[in-house]
């Protein structure tokens, strides 16, 4: 069974991965939520806000111009 600490660390990793994907053009919030393993869009938005202080949509608006090239993404986390 996961502990609170392991759940926290997993969600933090998921949110960092989500940030990288959200900065790529053409990635929808729904796609990123699913690609990062969240069970629902609402849960994704709630956890994302906890770690980043803003909603996924607000993050996209603030950071879309800073797109991350796919080669800069960690190989194990890259989703086509």
């Amino acid at each position: 069974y996961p502990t609170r600490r392991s759940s926290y660390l997993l969600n933090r990793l998921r949110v960092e991965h989500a940030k990288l994907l959200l900065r790529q053009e053409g990635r929808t919030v729904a796609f990123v939520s699913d690609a990062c393993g969240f069970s629902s869009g609402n849960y994704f938005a709630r956890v994302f806000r906890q770690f980043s202080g803003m909603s996924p949509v607000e993050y996209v608006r603030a950071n879309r111009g800073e797109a991350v090239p796919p080669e800069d993404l960690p190989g194990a986390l890259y989703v086509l």
Side-chain angles (χ1 to χ4, degrees), residues 5-36:
R5 177 137 173 91
S6 64
S7 293
Y8 171 88
L9 292 173
L10 178 59
N11 281 337
R12 183 173 177 158
L13 178 63
R14 287 176 172 168
V15 168
E16 291 306 312
H17 183 204
K19 286 178 178 180
L20 292 172
L21 293 177
L22 287 169
R23 288 168 52 192
Q24 292 183 311
E25 291 293 328
R27 302 290 189 191
T28 65
V29 172
F31 172 85
V32 171
S33 171
D34 188 52
C36 293

Side-chain angles (χ1 to χ4, degrees), residues 9-76:
L9 292 173
L10 178 59
N11 281 337
R12 183 173 177 158
L13 178 63
R14 287 176 172 168
V15 168
E16 291 306 312
H17 183 204
K19 286 178 178 180
L20 292 172
L21 293 177
L22 287 169
R23 288 168 52 192
Q24 292 183 311
E25 291 293 328
R27 302 290 189 191
T28 65
V29 172
F31 172 85
V32 171
S33 171
D34 188 52
C36 293
F38 287 94
S39 57
S40 75
N42 288 335
Y43 181 60
F44 170 61
R46 187 168 68 240
V47 172
F48 192 93
R49 185 179 292 279
Q50 280 180 316
F51 284 97
S52 68
M54 63 181 74
S55 74
V57 172
E58 291 169 334
Y59 183 84
V60 168
R61 288 183 184 144
N63 295 283
R64 186 50 61 102
E66 300 175 23
V68 177
E71 60 271 11
D72 288 349
L73 292 174

